[in-house]
Amino acid sequence: MDEAQLEALLFPNPAPERSGYADPGFAHIHQELKRKGVTLQLLWEEYGAAHPCQAYGYSQFCFHYQRFAASLKRSMRQTHRAGEKLFIDYSGDTVAIIDAFTGEIRRAEIFVAVLAPRSTPTRRRPGRNSCPTGLTRTCVASNS
């Protein structure tokens, strides 16, 4: 018996570990999360329904997804000095505003502004989405 055979007997290559859990397919999950209204909770529920006996629990599902997401290449990394930039946008969905006296339901957009790198957004509910009001909103947000 030569040294290579002896080493193979004493230190065998470990077999790749099988976790016993179904692969969630995190690349697909990552793409799905970009769609409007899709959450990690919803995707985990779908994964659990598809693999009832081999699914990760929610906390492990999130842990493994976060590990996957951390391994992805980042793009458009930017640095911001405090107070240098104001990021302004609408939140996307509208909310119902119900008049207490008439019962009339109106839809309103939520205006969001964040002064980078501040993490607390300024929120306003504007009446209409028009240019002069938009300029007013910018002034209000920058003074908040």
Side-chain angles (χ1 to χ4, degrees):
M1 183 179 293
D2 65 351
E3 258 188 70
Q5 291 173 332
L6 181 59
E7 185 175 337
L9 285 174
L10 293 174
F11 306 106
N13 289 334
E17 289 186 31
R18 303 252 336 146
S19 67
Y21 293 100
D23 178 30
F26 289 121
H28 175 70
I29 287 170
H30 189 70
Q31 291 303 315
E32 287 292 307
L33 283 171
K34 294 177 182 178
R35 293 180 38 217
K36 185 175 181 179
V38 177
T39 64
L40 207 50
Q41 173 81 34
L42 177 65
L43 294 172
W44 171 74
E45 288 172 3
E46 291 175 359
Y47 160 72
H51 308 283
C53 297
Q54 295 178 315
Y56 285 113
Y58 182 65
S59 62
Q60 284 297 302
F61 182 82
C62 291
F63 171 77
H64 289 294
Y65 172 73
Q66 288 169 356
R67 233 175 53 186
F68 169 80
S71 71
L72 298 176
K73 183 178 178 184
R74 303 252 191 263
S75 61
M76 289 193 60
R77 185 163 279 202
Q78 301 174 5
T79 57
H80 306 288
R81 283 183 272 171
E84 186 178 77
K85 296 178 185 172
L86 180 68
F87 295 95
I88 302 170
D89 201 359
Y90 286 91
S91 66
D93 292 333
T94 58
V95 294
I97 305 295
I98 303 171
D99 188 313
F101 298 110
T102 65
E104 176 189 5
I105 299 174
R106 293 187 346 202
R107 304 302 297 178
E109 295 175 309
I110 303 297
F111 173 74
V112 180
V114 177
L115 189 62
R118 185 175 151 187
S119 61
T120 308
T122 300
R123 296 170 299 278
R124 302 274 187 237
R125 185 198 57 80
R128 298 268 188 272
N129 186 6
S130 61
C131 185
T133 312
L135 295 174
T136 304
R137 283 185 217 116
T138 304
C139 293
V140 168
S142 63
N143 292 326
S144 295

